[in-house]
Amino acid sequence: HYDPKTRVLRLSDSVFSSKSVAALGVAAHECGHAIQHSTNYSPLKIRHAIYPVVSISSSAAVPVIILGFLFNTATLVNVGIVLFAAVVLFQLVTLPVEFNASKRALAILEESNFLSGSNFDGTSEIKSAKKVLFAAALTYVAAALVSIMQLLRLILLANNRRD
């Protein structure tokens, strides 16, 4: 991952020591985050700004909601829902950051000629890298959708308890 506080790019051993298309894609993606940081990419700045609040709210949301339901306290439930909504907001802000880092990664790989040949099956390495990076980005989309659905479920549960 890219650590913006120390401006250091850290790769796992499996990524660092591999020459696979997937490993190059991951490394280039993380370089994309470093470039975002150096160019003051707005969504990244927003994500970093809200992170401290989200780090607290992500661990507090569910216990607060559970306590609210256990003690039949609508205020606690609502506070927990607001805390969980902050997590959802963070995940939504993360989407353009991740997609942009992947876009930058592909540009790095193409411009630097890291990938140009063909895979063992005859497909281009660039096409394979695009698939890997797109699949990785879809994990963030899936996480955001799950969180949105969970938030809606919590809101419905809270409204049903009031009725």
Side-chain angles (χ1 to χ4, degrees):
H1 79 282
Y2 172 69
D3 182 353
K5 288 182 182 177
T6 58
R7 294 183 177 232
V8 172
L9 184 72
R10 293 185 179 92
L11 300 175
S12 66
D13 290 336
S14 60
V15 170
F16 180 77
S17 60
S18 176
K19 295 179 184 176
S20 72
V21 172
L24 285 171
V26 168
H29 175 90
E30 295 309 320
C31 289
H33 286 306
I35 293 168
Q36 287 173 336
H37 187 212
S38 71
T39 60
N40 290 317
Y41 181 61
S42 295
L44 183 69
K45 286 172 62 174
I46 294 168
R47 186 173 89 168
H48 287 256
I50 65 175
Y51 178 76
V53 173
V54 172
S55 66
I56 294 167
S57 66
S58 67
S59 56
V62 172
V64 169
I65 292 168
I66 291 171
L67 287 173
F69 282 134
L70 284 175
F71 294 115
N72 201 24
T73 307
T75 303
L76 273 181
V77 172
N78 291 337
V79 167
I81 288 172
V82 169
L83 292 172
F84 193 81
V87 174
V88 172
L89 174 66
F90 181 81
Q91 288 179 327
L92 292 173
V93 170
T94 295
L95 293 176
V97 172
E98 295 301 324
F99 276 99
N100 181 266
S102 289
K103 181 180 174 184
R104 291 174 192 261
L106 288 169
I108 291 167
L109 293 171
E110 285 182 295
E111 292 167 10
S112 303
N113 292 319
F114 283 110
L115 301 177
S116 58
S118 296
N119 289 318
F120 63 91
D121 63 357
T123 59
S124 95
E125 289 180 338
I126 294 293
K127 189 174 182 179
S128 295
K130 285 180 182 178
K131 286 181 181 179
V132 167
L133 290 169
F134 184 70
L138 285 181
T139 62
Y140 289 95
V141 173
L145 288 174
V146 167
S147 292
I148 290 167
M149 296 306 291
Q150 182 68 9
L151 178 61
L152 292 173
R153 181 176 166 269
L154 292 169
I155 292 169
L156 289 172
L157 284 171
N159 284 338
N160 284 342
R161 289 194 62 126
R162 290 183 192 127
D163 294 339

